[in-house]
Amino acid sequence: LEELFELGALDYLDAVTIHPYRHPDPPEGFIEDMEQLDSLIRQYNNDVPKPIWVTENGWPTYQNPQSVDEKTQADYLVRNHVISLACGVEKIFWYDFMNDGLDKTYTEHNFGLIRNVNDESGPYTPKPAYAAYAELVRQLTGAQFEDKEVIDNNIYIYTFSKDGNDIKV
């Protein structure tokens, strides 16, 4: 990205889009990445930020050391989105809505929030991440990030405001 920015690309971009896959690692490393990206954009754009979009991100659930289990996928989805919103990401797109296939050992077949139409568990059966995403959307649509409180190295509370009420995640 720095090479593109050096060449003046920011003059032609309405937003900077990234695919910050981290699987199987947790999403918290994204915070430092976002700080660095914002700093880099400002460095090459006269200290003016640009909107950042996460146009593809996810954690696959398959039988391989590079995957996570379905509960962890749900947890990471919520943590990823909350962190992204707190970092000022304007738009977030999850990859993938439906598992692309049935091979439990192949990464690309297992990113979905719901199971494949031919899955033995039933067509379109939701994974836990689907329910977590639905609740996240219900709670945070229209909310604004306000504050992050660090309880200890592994516990954070993110506060959002919506309609005069605080929502704590």
Side-chain angles (χ1 to χ4, degrees):
L1 287 175
E2 185 166 8
E3 289 180 38
L4 287 171
F5 297 169
E6 284 177 353
L7 293 170
L10 288 167
D11 293 339
Y12 304 95
L13 301 176
D14 295 321
V16 175
T17 65
I18 57 174
H19 296 178
Y21 287 101
R22 308 193 74 74
H23 63 85
D25 296 329
E28 281 73 18
F30 182 63
I31 297 167
E32 184 177 337
D33 293 348
M34 282 300 301
E35 291 168 353
Q36 290 173 353
L37 178 56
D38 182 59
S39 177
L40 192 64
I41 291 168
R42 289 173 185 272
Q43 176 184 341
Y44 290 97
N45 201 40
N46 299 316
D47 206 33
V48 177
K50 284 273 187 183
I52 298 172
W53 294 9
V54 173
T55 53
E56 197 174 293
N57 198 14
W59 278 262
T61 59
Y62 64 109
Q63 297 164 2
N64 182 294
Q66 293 300 309
S67 71
V68 297
D69 61 44
E70 290 185 3
K71 181 191 178 310
T72 301
Q73 182 191 45
D75 292 346
Y76 284 6
L77 178 147
V78 171
R79 287 162 51 185
N80 173 72
H81 279 61
V82 167
I83 288 167
S84 296
L85 293 170
C87 288
V89 171
E90 192 174 274
K91 295 191 183 290
I92 309 161
F93 299 84
W94 183 264
Y95 180 84
D96 200 356
F97 180 65
M98 181 174 63
N99 280 355
D100 289 338
L102 300 173
D103 185 345
K104 302 288 186 208
T105 64
Y106 181 50
T107 307
E108 291 302 318
H109 281 192
N110 296 283
F111 276 95
L113 299 176
I114 64 173
R115 299 184 200 295
N116 187 276
V117 65
N118 296 312
D119 194 290
E120 63 189 23
S121 299
Y124 313 114
T125 303
K127 293 182 185 178
Y130 180 87
Y133 186 66
E135 187 60 26
L136 175 81
V137 168
R138 275 193 285 279
Q139 294 287 331
L140 294 184
T141 294
Q144 297 297 315
F145 171 70
E146 296 292 333
D147 188 42
K148 174 186 173 184
E149 181 182 354
V150 178
I151 305 301
D152 71 23
N153 288 338
N154 296 311
I155 300 174
Y156 311 98
I157 299 173
Y158 289 85
T159 302
F160 293 81
S161 66
K162 180 177 175 182
D163 303 326
N165 297 309
D166 284 347
I167 301 166
K168 297 199 181 275
V169 184

